[in-house]
Amino acid sequence: MTYPNIKPIGGEAEYEATHFEAITQTGRSSLRLIIESAKLQGKHIALPDYLCKIIVDIFKEYQSIIHFYPITQDLSPDFSALTEQFDVLYIINYFGMDFGKRLTLPLKDGHTVIIDDVFYPIPRMIETATACYAFNSLRKISKLADGSLIMANRPLQLELITSATDSQFSAQKYSAKALKHQFIHQHIKPQIHLSELQYLAEFKQAEQLLDSQKSIVAASMQSQIMAMRFYRQLQDNAQTRQQNYLCLKHLLTKKLVPIDTDFYSFAVFKHTQKNELKQFLASQSIYLPTHWPVLENDSLKAINAISVNWLSIPLDTRYTVQDMERLSKVILDFDQRSPCF
């Protein structure tokens, strides 16, 4: 006897493809794949005025006409300031927050939305009938040297992705990471004598390789394997990051830019003597980046002005609450020594 409307048991597992997906080497490769797949060459692009300069450079490669809209002090996008016509709306989810879901700007047929989820483990789409692409950058939030996930509601030209073996960037970056590990742990093997300059030189060389690379490249095998471990430990990872953030929030109070996310990447710290503080921290073996430096180009003089006094504090699982306490103490010590603060 047959039962035509009963759920079958056994056989191959079914799968419903609800989105188009891909894995590339970096956020740069992902953005180029999106531009190529959506045929965005020469289009009008609405970019936030707080962003990585590489984004601007890539759109310029494709002869884009760029318009900027402002980001407020709390990192919220001011979409109401978008008065000019645009074909593509580019949204950045700063430090794990989700601004795509707050989008109130009406989208029209022919619009494309790109969501840059650089600081989040899984790119987040928005519900829209228009073309939507979201991507992240795993190398910015994990130990991976490369890796970027893309999700889209339109097809991706996967044939444009070249083999990871065609690029030297990943291998060079992992070599630099290994050298840094040896430097940090060389007390275990006293016969190893390394300096910071050695691994820093390798990191610089890796970034130079990436800057010169214009092709769309696949993620390396090493990173694909490491990504499985990263996602397996994601819940514990997120908990550690939250604890680190809450510790800084308690100790540094009003000095932090408020961030609301379930996956913290960096805490953003405000200081009127940023450059002097950065040097003082470096003397204590604390090296903090800026997301992102103010751009010097005259035509882009207003870009990243929001971050002129900002430093970013990494919160990932290399660090503990005790590390955050030490870092906070160094900052407070600097404030006590500085007569200008």
Side-chain angles (χ1 to χ4, degrees):
M1 182 178 293
T2 61
Y3 302 90
N5 297 316
I6 293 179
K7 176 181 177 180
I9 298 174
E12 291 285 348
E14 67 277 15
Y15 169 69
E16 180 185 8
T18 57
H19 291 104
F20 300 94
E21 301 163 330
I23 305 175
T24 73
Q25 183 187 58
T26 61
R28 305 177 193 201
S29 279
S30 289
L31 182 54
R32 288 188 173 101
L33 181 60
I34 290 168
I35 293 171
E36 295 277 2
S37 299
K39 295 179 172 51
L40 301 180
Q41 298 90 333
K43 299 290 188 179
H44 288 258
I45 315 294
L47 292 178
D49 66 1
Y50 175 49
L51 78 174
C52 176
K53 183 178 179 293
I54 293 299
I55 298 168
V56 178
D57 293 341
I58 290 175
F59 277 114
K60 284 184 175 181
E61 287 176 23
Y62 290 93
Q63 292 79 49
S64 302
I65 301 94
I66 296 173
H67 312 276
F68 290 100
Y69 63 90
I71 299 299
T72 63
Q73 284 290 320
D74 67 354
L75 293 172
S76 297
D78 182 5
F79 295 123
S80 66
L82 271 173
T83 57
E84 303 198 45
Q85 294 294 324
F86 64 90
D87 303 302
V88 181
L89 176 62
Y90 195 100
I91 300 171
I92 299 179
N93 284 333
Y94 300 108
F95 307 107
M97 293 191 280
D98 190 355
F99 295 109
K101 68 181 181 181
R102 306 184 196 179
L103 179 61
T104 57
L105 190 71
L107 298 173
K108 302 176 183 177
D109 289 341
H111 275 159
T112 298
V113 177
I114 299 177
I115 299 175
D116 186 334
D117 232 341
V118 57
F119 300 106
Y120 203 74
I122 300 173
R124 291 165 288 189
M125 301 279 288
I126 61 172
E127 293 294 330
T128 177
T130 61
C132 181
Y133 302 83
F135 71 99
N136 67 359
S137 181
L138 292 174
R139 73 189 187 102
K140 302 295 186 182
I141 58 171
S142 72
K143 292 183 179 180
L144 277 68
D146 64 295
S148 172
L149 307 182
I150 308 177
M151 295 186 68
N153 64 4
R154 298 290 192 276
L156 297 164
Q157 291 186 256
L158 303 183
E159 67 276 10
L160 297 178
I161 304 175
T162 63
S163 171
T165 57
D166 294 336
S167 167
Q168 295 299 312
F169 165 71
S170 300
Q172 181 68 31
K173 198 67 179 282
Y174 274 120
S175 174
K177 284 176 173 284
L179 204 59
K180 181 176 181 179
H181 182 272
Q182 291 178 24
F183 170 79
I184 292 173
H185 299 283
Q186 62 183 321
H187 62 279
I188 300 174
K189 297 181 179 180
Q191 69 273 22
I192 297 177
H193 301 287
L194 296 171
S195 71
E196 286 182 307
L197 293 177
Q198 288 173 276
Y199 72 77
L200 289 175
E202 289 215 14
F203 277 124
K204 183 177 180 180
Q205 183 179 356
E207 293 302 318
Q208 289 172 340
L209 287 170
L210 184 58
D211 287 341
S212 64
Q213 177 179 290
K214 306 300 181 186
S215 54
I216 301 168
V217 183
S220 67
M221 183 65 70
Q222 180 65 49
S223 287
Q224 293 180 50
I225 294 169
M226 289 178 65
M228 289 187 274
R229 299 180 190 138
F230 172 71
Y231 286 109
R232 186 171 65 243
Q233 300 164 353
L234 194 58
Q235 186 172 355
D236 291 340
N237 195 322
Q239 184 176 2
T240 297
R241 292 163 179 263
Q242 182 181 44
Q243 290 171 348
N244 287 340
Y245 177 78
L246 292 176
C247 176
L248 290 176
K249 185 178 178 181
H250 172 69
L251 295 174
L252 299 177
T253 58
K254 296 180 181 179
K255 293 183 176 66
L256 295 187
V257 176
I259 294 174
D260 180 19
T261 181
D262 59 1
F263 188 87
Y264 290 89
S265 54
F266 294 88
V268 181
F269 177 77
K270 300 179 289 186
H271 203 286
T272 56
Q273 293 180 270
K274 167 187 166 179
N275 294 332
E276 294 83 355
L277 173 61
K278 191 171 183 176
Q279 292 179 1
F280 183 73
L281 290 169
S283 72
Q284 305 298 312
S285 296
I286 299 171
Y287 309 100
L288 302 186
T290 296
H291 292 95
W292 288 275
V294 177
L295 299 186
E296 301 297 335
N297 189 309
D298 289 341
S299 64
L300 302 174
K301 60 184 177 182
I303 307 307
N304 294 347
I306 192 175
S307 64
V308 66
N309 291 322
W310 288 3
L311 288 171
S312 299
I313 301 173
L315 303 170
D316 59 76
T317 53
R318 291 175 293 170
Y319 310 113
T320 64
V321 167
Q322 289 71 34
D323 293 319
M324 299 299 105
E325 290 173 343
R326 179 173 78 89
L327 185 150
S328 299
K329 185 178 184 302
V330 174
I331 291 173
L332 295 174
D333 285 347
F334 173 84
D335 290 347
Q336 290 178 353
R337 297 182 186 194
S338 173
C340 300
F341 181 73

